[in-house]
Amino acid sequence: MPSVEISAAADFIRQRTQRRPKIGLILGSGLNPLAEAIESPDVIPTGDIPHWPISTVQGHAGRLVIGELEGQAVLVLQGRIHFYEGYPMAVVTLPVRVMIALGIEMLIVTNAAGGLNPSFAPGDLMLIRDHLNFPGMAGNNPLFGPNDEATGPRFPDMTQAYDPALRDVARRAAAAAGLTLREGVYAYVAGPSFETPAELRFLQIAGGDAVGMSTAPEVVVAHHAGVRVLGISTIANLALPDPPPGLTVNHEEVLATGQLAVPRLILLVRGILQQLSAT
Ligand code: HPA
């Protein structure tokens, strides 16, 4: 993606808000109520922003909400772009590149995911420790193509993509709020078809605890640019190779179950921001 397009989008946003947040937040499917918690928001429909891709998925309103949460300026993206919508990875990750151009130093990514770990239940929150980027490993890494050395290295280290200190912050915030926080590996698949039982078994064997169709490309791009990343999945459904009889998965259920986790996700994000301002 030519940087001129990223600069144009970032300039447009700077003209629409006086705020200069250091924290970005990307909301997953059905997690829109978190945006309603933002105080004195400047709201920018993403359709107004030059070069911004159109989000086509139900449950993903396209808005940037720039305001305050727990006394911190935050830039919230409601309506992320997915690879399965047909956009190339450079376009999928344009919103993150624009956030980076705007000066974000920390990115909190959220998503709705299927629970591969048999001890997880729908409605659980999972702190992402690491990811499996299957499309990336197969040639759809968002850093594919010429590298901008001013942004980051050609071959970025990924051993600590999910910032260990921020994971500590999340654990402390969960404990302080009395919330159970699972932890695990997020397996990123392209979708849009849900997984077959054989695929789910494979993802479990590969070490996945949750499976979803977003997040990893954004994390690669943010980490490459030195942005500290924190990831939280809400477990929207069971994604088990041998499910209880009659259990199937559909997008409506994913959105509905996501709602169960929303109040706790909001509490957790608020707690994380409190911990960050206290340190
Ligand atoms: N599989 C893939 N992506 C998902 C799922 C799932 O079961 N649930 C929510 N996003």
Side-chain angles (χ1 to χ4, degrees), residues 109 111 127-132 158-167 186 214-217 219-220 223 228-232:
V109 279
N111 59 54
L127 177 63
I128 305 177
R129 180 174 62 235
D130 199 352
H131 73 213
L132 288 157
M158 290 294 288
T159 53
Q160 299 197 325
Y162 296 84
D163 190 276
L166 289 182
R167 281 186 271 145
Y186 178 83
S214 70
T215 303
V219 171
V220 169
H223 184 64
R228 298 173 71 198
V229 173
L230 179 70
I232 305 162

Side-chain angles (χ1 to χ4, degrees), residues 25-36 43-47 49 52-65 75-85 87 91-96 99 108 110-111 213-215 218 251 255:
L25 179 57
I26 300 181
L27 299 184
S29 315
L31 306 180
N32 292 340
L34 189 45
E36 314 303 330
V43 178
I44 308 175
T46 54
I49 306 172
W52 202 281
I54 297 161
S55 146
T56 62
V57 193
Q58 178 205 345
H60 291 266
R63 304 196 304 167
L64 280 187
V65 181
L75 188 163
V76 180
L77 169 61
Q78 212 182 331
R80 61 151 55 96
I81 309 299
H82 302 79
F83 189 56
Y84 60 71
E85 293 174 75
Y87 293 110
V91 176
V92 170
T93 54
L94 177 131
V96 180
M99 285 184 172
I108 304 177
T110 65
N111 59 54
M213 304 176 194
S214 70
T215 303
E218 297 153 4
H251 185 57
L255 292 180

